Amino acid sequence: MFEEVYKGEFNGIAVGRVKRNQDFTKGLGFYHNEYQMQYIFDGERYFFYQGTCYRMMPGTITIIDKSKIAKTNIIGGSHHDRLLIELKESAIAPMCSMFGVDVKKFFSEHHGVYQVSEDEYFQDILTNIEKLAIGKRSASTEGRIKLEIMKIFIEQDRLQKRKLGKLNEAGVKPHIEKQKKVHQVADYIAENYEKIDSVSELADQFYMSKAYLCRIFREVTNFTISEYINLYRIVASKQYLMDENMSMAEIANRLGYDSLTYFERVFKKQMKVSPLQYRKSVLKVR
């Protein structure tokens, strides 16, 4: 069962709530590769980042930095009810500037999971955001939602005190050995993404069959191995594209792509624009 309770866009901010009793990869919001905050009302999910798991349980809010490769998915469970807030940097940058908030620094430093169920301050913020998202819109709705989000940014010290630690082996009881192996593979990919020629080579590196590795990696991370490698390559490519002296072919080669055409296709699928369009857009604002 999938129930989209509501979903709305407010000029660069998307707010939605969804209930599911099964997991799949369809996105809830409007944007791609933007900042996110997820709040769990019911059920459990896991926050997977660089080979480490964090538990997203009722009453937790997860801060997700768009520059980091992270995924939330169900492990050993099915039902969940969550609120997702997606933010385009351009939509909140003006107000952040007014309040002296560095939005990039906030998401970079607070990328993680926080238990806020017993904190009335954060509970009031989330309740207000929901009310504004589902209520009748007015000229002030967008600004009021931004102000509520700004309250989270401002109370960074309060938020930090509620950060949850990573799960140890006792915290991830089901299939712990399988998850440990996937985490090892994920760490290896993070450090060697530009040198991995094939999934078969990766499987040999960890003494597993290709079929078994592909199956457990997707089960734990919700990514295929190729998707995970490409995500790291695309993150790196955005830095290379800032250098006007590097050709597209040179960038593709550095990332480990044999074909420029394939690099361009993967980049556009992830970023919704071609590498050349991305380069022009970022250089234009410099």
Side-chain angles (χ1 to χ4, degrees):
M1 182 272 293
F2 167 75
E3 178 188 353
E4 190 171 82
V5 183
Y6 62 81
K7 183 167 72 173
E9 183 181 15
F10 303 86
N11 189 27
I13 298 175
V15 180
R17 182 172 177 175
V18 67
K19 296 180 181 180
R20 293 176 180 158
N21 67 1
Q22 59 182 338
D23 202 27
F24 55 98
T25 57
K26 178 183 176 183
L28 166 63
F30 288 84
Y31 310 132
H32 193 76
N33 195 39
E34 297 297 341
Y35 297 123
Q36 289 188 7
M37 290 187 282
Q38 295 189 29
Y39 180 77
I40 303 296
F41 292 98
D42 192 21
E44 290 191 350
R45 296 181 68 79
Y46 284 77
F47 181 67
F48 180 88
Y49 172 59
Q50 287 192 341
T52 303
C53 272
Y54 302 83
R55 190 191 301 275
M56 299 166 66
M57 63 190 84
T60 60
I61 186 169
T62 303
I63 308 296
I64 302 176
D65 183 0
K66 67 177 181 178
S67 68
K68 295 180 170 65
I69 297 174
K71 187 70 176 178
T72 69
N73 63 290
I74 292 173
I75 303 177
S78 58
H79 170 73
H80 74 272
D81 177 359
R82 62 173 168 155
L83 171 71
L84 172 63
I85 302 169
E86 292 182 293
L87 308 167
K88 282 190 173 182
E89 186 175 341
S90 59
I92 55 175
M95 187 172 287
C96 284
S97 179
M98 287 174 56
F99 285 89
V101 173
D102 185 332
V103 65
K104 289 183 179 180
K105 184 178 180 181
F106 173 84
F107 278 93
S108 177
E109 293 184 352
H110 296 88
H111 185 76
V113 184
Y114 302 81
Q115 179 57 261
V116 298
S117 59
E118 296 181 359
D119 191 306
E120 291 185 6
Y121 178 82
F122 290 116
Q123 289 298 310
D124 286 344
I125 291 172
L126 294 164
T127 298
N128 291 338
I129 290 174
E130 271 217 297
K131 287 180 178 178
L132 289 165
I134 63 179
K136 185 177 180 179
R137 296 197 188 189
S138 69
S140 65
T141 300
E142 178 189 324
R144 291 168 66 190
I145 288 178
K146 289 180 180 178
L147 278 173
E148 294 298 328
I149 293 171
M150 199 60 50
K151 292 178 184 178
I152 299 176
F153 294 166
I154 292 171
E155 290 290 340
Q156 296 184 32
D157 291 341
R158 185 180 193 134
L159 183 68
Q160 191 63 31
K161 291 176 182 178
R162 298 188 171 276
K163 187 170 185 177
L164 298 181
K166 65 183 180 181
L167 291 174
N168 55 28
E169 292 189 8
V172 190
K173 294 178 182 178
H175 317 298
I176 185 63
E177 290 303 320
K178 179 167 53 182
Q179 292 179 37
K180 284 173 61 178
K181 182 62 71 174
V182 169
H183 296 168
Q184 292 170 5
V185 174
D187 286 342
Y188 180 84
I189 291 173
E191 296 175 3
N192 301 280
Y193 59 86
E194 78 282 3
K195 297 185 289 187
I196 300 171
D197 292 325
S198 68
V199 177
S200 296
E201 173 194 298
L202 192 62
D204 290 343
Q205 179 82 16
F206 287 89
Y207 305 101
M208 288 184 279
S209 72
K210 177 181 175 181
Y212 179 70
L213 175 58
C214 289
R215 180 172 63 81
I216 65 171
F217 196 91
R218 179 63 181 265
E219 182 180 330
V220 172
T221 71
N222 226 6
F223 287 111
T224 67
I225 292 174
S226 294
E227 286 172 341
Y228 200 74
I229 293 171
N230 282 330
L231 283 170
Y232 270 95
R233 288 176 171 176
I234 295 308
V235 169
S237 74
K238 291 192 287 185
Q239 293 299 315
Y240 291 142
L241 288 166
M242 298 287 285
D243 184 352
E244 294 181 86
N245 295 319
M246 289 188 69
S247 68
M248 294 298 169
E250 183 181 357
I251 292 172
N253 182 260
R254 284 201 185 187
L255 295 170
Y257 290 115
D258 294 330
S259 164
L260 173 58
T261 301
Y262 182 61
F263 162 56
E264 292 174 333
R265 184 164 68 247
V266 171
F267 188 96
K268 189 167 185 178
K269 181 179 179 181
Q270 174 69 14
M271 298 302 299
K272 305 306 181 187
V273 295
S274 70
L276 182 58
Q277 289 170 324
Y278 180 85
R279 168 176 273 175
K280 288 180 178 178
S281 68
V282 294
L283 295 179
K284 184 179 180 180
V285 298
R286 287 177 66 178

